[in-house]
C-alpha cells in the first residue's frame, strides 16, 4: 500500500510522484515522503458499483483499517510531521497534459486518520466536474496515486519554467508564503528572468496577501505594507533556482514547469512536470493605443463580449465566445476556459494554473490588470492580445494606458 518516494515511478505512482522520485535519486532537494500507489486505489474500487456519481461514492467509502495502519507506520518513519497530501493521477503531469490544478491537494495535514481522509478525497477528485471536463477524451485508466510529503513552511515560493534551449532564459515567479497563492493566481507575483549569461531581470509586483500554516490550518493574511513592494527573493536566490532548474531539465530530459519553495533559507523542489505550452515572451513596452495593459499569459488575439464573472455563482452567465473578466481563476473555473474566447484577470502570473490551462486550450489570456472587473463593462466588446498583454475596450478608445510593472535589470 505504500511506496517510498525515492522508489516511485510514473507507471505505478503517477507522473507527479514519479518525477519527484527521479529527482530525489539524482540528489535534488525534494522533501522526503511516500506514495499510496495506483494499486491501492484500484483495490478499493475494483469490486464496487460506484454508480453515476463516482465522486460521492468514493467520498462515502470507509477508509480501510489496513491503509490507516500503513499510513501511520510511514508517517512515523518521517517523524510524524505535518504533511502535504497531493494527487498523482495517471494522466497528470505528462508531456501531453499538465492537469494543472485539476485534482485536489491538501497542506498542513497531520495524523494517520486525517491523511487517510485526504487520500480518499484525492481519489474522489478524479471525478470532480472540472477534472472530468479537463480529461474529456483521454484514453486509458483514470487511476489515482497519492503523494504524501513533509509540509514546508515556506518563507517564499513560486513557479519556474526552465529554458527550451541553451540560449533561452529561465522564468521564475515568486511571492511570500506558501505556493498556492502563486499557482492559484490569487496574487500577482514578482517575475524574474535569468538569461543564459546569468543576468537577472525582474519586475516586482505589489503582493498584498500571503498564505501560511497555523497549526493544522492554512491562513491568508495581509502582507505588511513595507514588504508588499519588496522582492520576495533576491537575485542570488533567483540564480540558484535557475541552476536547480537546469539540473532538473537535464534529469527529466526537457523543459520543465517546476514548483519550488524557500524554507529555513533553503530551496526545495515540490513538483516538476513537462512544459505543455510555451508562455509568451517576457513583456516589452506594448502599443499605447491599448486601454489596459497587464501580463501576457497566453498567445493569441480575440475580440468578443466581455463577461464579468466574479465567482462560481456567475458561471451560468457565460456564453461560448465570451471573454471572461474575473478577479482570478482557480481550478473550478476550468470548464469556462473550454467555451471562452479569452480570459482577463485582476491578479495572477504567467506561470499560474489558469494561464497554463489557457495555453493548453489555445485561448489568449491577459493577467494582473488591477480592477479589471470594474474598469471593463459587462456586454461591452473588447479585444485582448495575450501575446502583448493588452486589452482594448472598443467603446473607450480615448482611455490612457495602465502599465504593468517595468522590468529592472540587476
Amino acid at each position: 500500500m505504500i511506496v517510498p518516494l525515492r522508489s516511485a515511478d510514473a507507471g505505478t505512482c503517477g507522473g507527479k510522484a514519479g518525477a519527484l522520485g527521479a529527482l530525489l535519486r539524482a540528489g535534488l532537494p525534494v522533501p522526503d515522503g511516500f506514495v499510496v500507489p495506483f494499486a491501492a486505489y484500484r483495490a478499493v474500487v475494483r469490486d464496487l458499483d460506484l454508480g453515476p456519481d463516482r465522486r460521492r461514492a468514493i467520498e462515502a467509502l470507509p477508509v480501510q483499517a489496513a491503509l490507516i495502519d500503513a499510513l501511520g507506520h510511514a508517517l512515523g518513519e518521517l517523524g510524524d510531521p505535518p504533511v502535504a497530501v497531493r494527487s498523482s493521477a495517471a494522466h497528470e503531469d505528462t508531456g501531453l497534459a499538465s492537469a494543472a490544478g485539476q485534482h485536489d491537494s491538501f497542506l498542513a495535514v497531520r495524523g494517520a486518520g486525517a491523511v487517510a481522509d485526504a487520500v480518499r478525497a484525492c481519489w474522489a477528485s478524479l471525478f470532480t466536474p472540472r477534472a472530468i471536463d479537463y480529461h474529456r477524451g483521454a484514453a486509458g485508466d483514470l487511476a489515482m496515486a497519492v503523494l504524501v510529503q513533509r509540509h514546508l513552511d515556506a518563507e517564499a515560493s513560486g513557479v519556474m519554467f526552465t529554458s527550451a534551449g541553451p540560449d533561452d532564459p529561465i522564468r521564475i515567479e515568486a511571492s511570500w508564503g506558501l505556493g498556492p497563492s502563486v499557482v492559484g493566481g490569487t496574487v500577482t507575483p514578482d517575475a524574474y528572468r535569468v538569461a543564459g549569461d546569468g543576468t537577472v531581470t525582474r519586475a516586482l509586483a505589489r503582493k498584498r496577501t500571503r498564505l501560511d500554516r497555523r497549526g493544522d490550518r492554512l491562513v491568508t493574511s495581509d502582507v505588511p505594507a513595507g514588504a508588499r513592494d519588496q522582492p520576495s527573493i533576491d537575485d542570488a536566490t533567483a540564480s540558484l533556482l535557475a541552476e536547480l532548474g537546469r539540473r532538473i531539465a537535464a534529469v527529466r530530459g526537457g523543459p520543465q514547469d517546476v514548483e519550488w519553495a524557500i524554507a529555513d533559507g533553503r530551496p526545495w523542489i515540490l513538483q516538476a512536470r513537462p512544459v505543455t505550452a510555451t508562455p509568451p515572451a517576457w513583456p516589452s513596452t506594448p502599443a499605447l493605443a491599448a486601454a489596459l495593459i497587464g501580463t501576457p499569459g497566453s498567445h493569441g488575439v480575440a475580440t468578443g463580449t466581455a463577461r464579468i464573472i466574479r465567482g462560481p455563482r456567475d458561471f451560468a452567465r457565460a456564453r461560448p465566445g465570451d471573454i471572461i473578466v474575473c478577479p482570478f481563476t482557480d481550478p473550478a473555473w476550468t470548464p469556462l476556459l473550454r467555451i471562452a474566447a479569452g480570459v482577463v484577470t485582476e491578479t495572477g502570473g504567467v506561470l499560474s494554473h489558469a494561464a497554463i490551462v489557457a495555453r493548453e486550450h489555445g485561448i489568449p489570456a491577459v493577467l494582473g490588470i488591477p480592477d479589471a472587473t470594474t474598469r471593463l463593462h459587462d456586454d461591452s466588446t473588447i479585444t485582448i492580445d495575450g501575446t502583448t498583454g493588452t486589452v482594448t475596450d472598443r467603446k473607450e478608445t480615448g482611455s490612457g494606458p495602465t502599465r504593468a510593472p517595468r522590468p529592472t535589470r540587476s
Side-chain angles (χ1 to χ4, degrees):
M1 288 189 178
I2 300 294
V3 175
L5 179 56
R6 186 175 293 273
S7 302
D9 66 80
T12 60
C13 297
K16 184 181 297 179
L20 291 178
L23 297 183
L24 259 178
R25 295 190 292 273
L28 274 296
V30 174
D32 200 8
F34 57 88
V35 187
V36 181
F38 294 149
Y41 167 80
R42 290 175 176 138
V44 167
V45 303
R46 181 181 296 124
D47 299 321
L48 295 176
D49 180 9
L50 296 179
D53 193 340
R54 290 174 288 179
R55 177 187 180 187
R56 291 189 182 277
I58 292 173
E59 288 174 337
L61 288 174
V63 179
Q64 298 170 315
L67 176 58
I68 295 177
D69 289 344
L71 290 171
H73 179 73
L75 290 167
E77 290 189 339
L78 292 178
D80 199 24
V83 293
V85 182
R86 308 175 70 198
S87 66
S88 184
H91 291 271
E92 189 172 8
D93 290 5
T94 71
L96 299 176
S98 67
Q102 300 310 303
H103 305 114
D104 288 345
S105 294
F106 304 89
L107 302 181
V109 184
R110 191 158 205 167
V115 171
D117 289 341
V119 168
R120 181 176 54 193
C122 286
W123 289 342
S125 72
L126 270 175
F127 305 108
T128 60
R130 68 176 185 262
I132 291 171
D133 182 84
Y134 183 89
H135 289 301
R136 187 185 303 169
D141 184 7
L142 290 178
M144 174 70 77
V146 181
L147 169 65
V148 181
Q149 291 177 281
R150 293 179 182 275
H151 173 99
L152 297 180
D153 290 322
E155 295 107 38
S157 54
V159 183
M160 166 171 55
F161 270 33
T162 68
S163 56
D167 298 324
D168 293 332
I170 289 175
R171 297 179 66 169
I172 300 169
E173 292 186 338
S175 192
W176 303 117
L178 298 175
S181 295
V182 176
V183 299
T186 57
V187 299
T188 299
D190 298 332
Y192 299 79
R193 179 182 183 273
V194 183
D197 64 2
T199 302
V200 178
T201 304
R202 64 189 184 192
L204 302 183
R206 173 156 289 188
K207 303 164 290 294
R208 298 180 182 274
T209 62
R210 59 181 291 160
L211 184 69
D212 297 281
R213 181 179 69 91
R214 297 287 184 268
D216 59 356
R217 298 186 305 121
L218 298 180
V219 176
T220 300
S221 60
D222 292 336
V223 174
R228 292 179 182 179
D229 297 320
Q230 295 300 309
S232 47
I233 59 172
D234 58 22
D235 290 356
T237 301
S239 296
L240 176 58
L241 288 169
E243 179 55 35
L244 288 174
R246 295 184 190 98
R247 291 175 59 192
I248 292 166
V251 171
R252 300 299 297 152
Q256 297 290 297
D257 167 359
V258 178
E259 292 183 22
W260 56 268
I262 306 295
D264 297 324
R266 292 185 58 193
W268 294 91
I269 303 305
L270 307 181
Q271 183 167 328
R273 60 186 170 208
V275 174
T276 54
T278 304
W282 182 266
S284 57
T285 303
L288 294 180
L292 301 173
I293 298 172
T295 299
S298 178
H299 291 286
V301 178
T303 297
T305 300
R307 188 65 59 212
I308 309 301
I309 303 291
R310 292 190 169 87
R313 288 183 298 180
D314 294 334
F315 284 5
R317 301 182 58 247
R319 298 289 181 267
D322 284 351
I323 296 175
I324 304 302
V325 182
C326 53
F328 65 92
T329 67
D330 66 26
W333 297 54
T334 299
L336 289 186
L337 301 186
R338 187 179 291 278
I339 68 169
V343 61
V344 178
T345 70
E346 294 181 327
T347 63
V350 68
L351 308 185
S352 66
H353 285 161
I356 292 169
V357 174
R359 291 193 290 271
E360 290 179 349
H361 283 312
I363 63 171
V366 178
L367 312 170
I369 295 181
D371 303 317
T373 58
T374 55
R375 299 169 70 187
L376 296 168
H377 303 291
D378 210 44
D379 287 321
S380 63
T381 300
I382 62 175
T383 296
I384 72 169
D385 186 330
T387 303
T388 62
T390 60
V391 179
T392 304
D393 189 328
R394 311 303 293 181
K395 296 180 181 178
E396 297 183 3
T397 56
S399 298
T402 299
R403 300 185 180 281
R406 287 184 176 274
T408 58
R409 298 182 68 84
S410 55

